[in-house]
């Protein structure tokens, strides 16, 4: 079954403001939260769908990617996908009601789960076009080998937390609401360590630099993110690890400027080529030479579109276009003979009545407008 549009899920229009998005989510989250629906499976599914939509639309970068590419922006790990949708978890609900509950709800920040990490990776425009396999080194925490991540000294075992009886959470009634809070004794793990591991001090994790292989798909753009699930900080005492988010930065190119799937370049042409027409060669993003035909009488600012020579479509098979903007270069450091030839050319372009002769249509039109302007002032 196809996913519903995220704006439709929240009952919003595409141009909704952040406040409108948050307000719509508050209303729907209260209505469909599992605690308010006594195990209703449909309500739980609706709640997850609402959370998934909110996770995307509340984040400026995710929302921009979704507006441009729809649900395809979060497939195959892009944009924080996975686990029920783009970065879905119950923390969205708790983010909104944090002022009421005073503590995060849901699984991601309780039970000792490891922290998420950020890694900034700069790539070239050509690499964004073709895709790339890269290796990165990330300083992080990993499971302690001595205690196998349990936090207990080898030969001993963790014990059940006496405060929460192994649940990791404590439920308390606060007026109308029944609030679950992380157990402060065991920090949500449900266990305590009577004999902490001497290597990791009972944390179950040690600091280490980790080498990871990253596949960057063709067509990525500046600001996009890749999530490597489970490659963040190790969780406490065997709890799940966090995620690693790789923020992509595309370096400025010396020749091309990118605009979505299209690329632009500005190319100088000699005055005689602009006047007589001809052919030039320009480089393409894949490193090939492209022949561009210049029509006779070309003026500065003219753009020539080369279809299908732009950027690769993300997770697709198409390509954008390449736009070549031409500007006519005025010659400098002329020889005496060149000056004479230009003066001769100028004289040859004037008719017997002293008019331009139609060789410079833009100038002729401009100065006619100036003449009309002055005549208007005299009137």
């Amino acid at each position: 079954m196809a996913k519903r549009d995220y704006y439709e899920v929240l009952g919003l229009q595409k141009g909704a403001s952040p406040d409108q998005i948050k307000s719509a989510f508050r209303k729907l989250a209260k209505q469909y939260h599992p605690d308010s629906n006594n195990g209703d499976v449909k309500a739980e599914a609706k709640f997850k769908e609402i959370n998934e939509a909110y996770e995307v639309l509340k984040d400026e970068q995710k929302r921009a990617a979704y507006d441009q590419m729809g649900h395809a922006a979060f497939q195959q790990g892009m944009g924080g996908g996975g686990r029920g949708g783009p970065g879905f978890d119950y923390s969205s609900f708790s983010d909104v009601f944090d002022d009421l509950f005073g503590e995060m709800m849901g699984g991601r920040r309780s039970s000792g789960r490891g922290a998420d990490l950020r890694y900034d990776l700069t790539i070239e425009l050509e690499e964004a076009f073709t895709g790339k396999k890269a290796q990165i080194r990330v300083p992080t925490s990993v499971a302690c080998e001595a205690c196998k991540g349990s936090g207990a000294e080898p030969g001993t075992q963790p014990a059940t937390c006496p405060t929460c009886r192994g649940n990791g959470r404590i439920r308390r009634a606060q007026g109308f609401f029944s609030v679950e809070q992380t157990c402060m004794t065991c920090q949500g793990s449900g266990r305590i360590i009577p004999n902490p591991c001497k290597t990791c001090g009972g944390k179950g994790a040690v600091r280490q630099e980790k080498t990871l292989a990253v596949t960057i798909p063709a067509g990525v753009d500046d600001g996009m993110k890749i999530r490597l699930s489970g490659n963040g900080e190790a969780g406490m005492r065997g709890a799940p690890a966090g995620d690693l988010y790789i923020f992509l930065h595309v370096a400025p190119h010396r020749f091309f400027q990118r605009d979505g799937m299209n690329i632009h370049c500005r190319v100088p042409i000699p005055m005689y080529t602009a006047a007589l027409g001809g052919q030039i060669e320009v480089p393409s993003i894949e490193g090939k030479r492209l022949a561009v035909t210049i029509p006779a009488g070309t003026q500065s600012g003219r753009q020539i579109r080369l279809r299908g020579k732009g950027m690769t479509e993300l997770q697709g098979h198409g390509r954008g276009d390449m736009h070549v903007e031409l500007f006519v270069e005025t010659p400098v450091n002329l020889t005496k003979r060149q000056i004479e030839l230009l003066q001769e050319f100028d004289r040859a372009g004037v008719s017997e009545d002293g008019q331009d002769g139609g060789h410079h249509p833009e100038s002729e039109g401009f100065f006619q407008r100036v003449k009309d302007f002055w005549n208007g002032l005299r009137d």
Side-chain angles (χ1 to χ4, degrees), residues 51 63 108 142 152 245 249 297 332 355-356:
N51 269 278
R63 183 179 180 183
R108 289 191 64 135
V142 298
Y245 289 88
H249 305 278
V332 296
Q355 298 300 313
D356 178 81

Side-chain angles (χ1 to χ4, degrees), residues 32-314:
Y32 291 101
H33 192 273
D35 287 352
S36 303
N37 289 275
N38 298 321
D40 186 333
V41 176
K42 291 185 178 179
E44 183 177 355
K46 180 71 174 178
F47 181 70
K48 290 181 179 180
E49 185 182 40
I50 293 165
N51 269 278
E52 180 177 325
Y54 182 63
E55 274 294 305
V56 172
L57 299 184
K58 75 175 183 178
D59 184 287
E60 291 183 0
Q61 292 179 340
K62 289 181 182 179
R63 183 179 180 183
Y66 178 77
D67 287 346
Q68 183 178 3
M69 292 173 285
H71 294 298
F74 306 103
Q75 295 171 358
Q76 299 178 2
M78 290 301 300
R83 285 205 304 254
F88 167 78
D89 58 59
Y90 280 80
S91 65
S92 295
F93 182 79
S94 58
D95 284 342
V96 174
F97 295 101
D98 191 40
D99 54 335
L100 298 178
F101 296 144
E103 182 178 359
M104 296 294 290
M105 295 174 62
R108 289 191 64 135
R109 297 200 183 182
S110 62
S111 69
R113 180 186 180 275
D116 293 337
L117 294 178
R118 169 175 177 153
Y119 185 92
D120 291 278
L121 179 62
T122 299
I123 60 175
E124 301 297 328
L125 185 63
E126 290 87 351
E127 294 171 331
F129 169 77
T130 60
K132 177 182 180 180
K133 292 186 181 296
Q135 280 197 335
I136 61 174
R137 297 180 66 85
V138 182
T140 183
S141 62
V142 298
C144 174
E145 293 184 1
C147 64
K148 307 302 182 186
S150 70
E153 182 68 13
T156 67
Q157 295 293 329
T160 300
C161 175
T163 303
C164 64
R165 299 180 182 179
N167 292 321
R169 302 184 68 79
I170 300 173
R171 184 180 290 271
R172 292 192 177 97
Q174 293 185 4
F176 176 77
F177 296 100
S178 179
V179 181
E180 275 194 355
Q181 295 179 319
T182 302
C183 175
M184 300 304 294
T185 303
C186 63
Q187 301 298 314
S189 67
R191 300 178 300 171
I192 59 173
I193 310 296
N195 299 295
C197 170
K198 294 183 176 62
T199 302
C200 65
K203 295 180 180 179
V206 294
R207 300 299 300 177
Q208 183 178 310
E209 190 172 63
K210 186 162 53 174
T211 301
L212 298 171
V214 183
T215 299
I216 301 169
V220 295
D221 205 347
D222 189 78
M224 288 186 173
K225 294 179 286 189
I226 297 174
R227 189 182 74 179
L228 299 185
S229 181
N231 283 283
E233 296 276 3
M236 290 183 62
R237 303 166 186 171
D243 299 331
L244 172 64
Y245 289 88
I246 300 173
F247 285 69
L248 298 175
H249 305 278
V250 181
H253 196 274
R254 57 183 176 179
F255 186 68
F256 298 116
Q257 296 82 45
R258 181 176 181 175
D259 180 16
M261 287 180 58
N262 297 326
I263 56 175
H264 298 257
C265 63
R266 193 165 181 263
V267 180
I269 58 174
M271 183 177 65
Y272 56 82
T273 302
L276 303 176
Q279 196 172 74
I280 62 172
E281 284 188 339
V282 297
S284 66
I285 188 64
E286 62 262 52
K288 297 180 180 179
R289 298 187 179 198
L290 300 177
V292 178
T293 299
I294 309 299
T298 291
Q299 305 295 316
S300 283
R302 178 166 186 169
Q303 291 198 10
I304 297 178
R305 180 169 65 176
L306 304 179
R307 295 183 182 274
K309 299 300 180 182
M311 293 296 295
T312 309
E313 180 182 1
L314 181 64

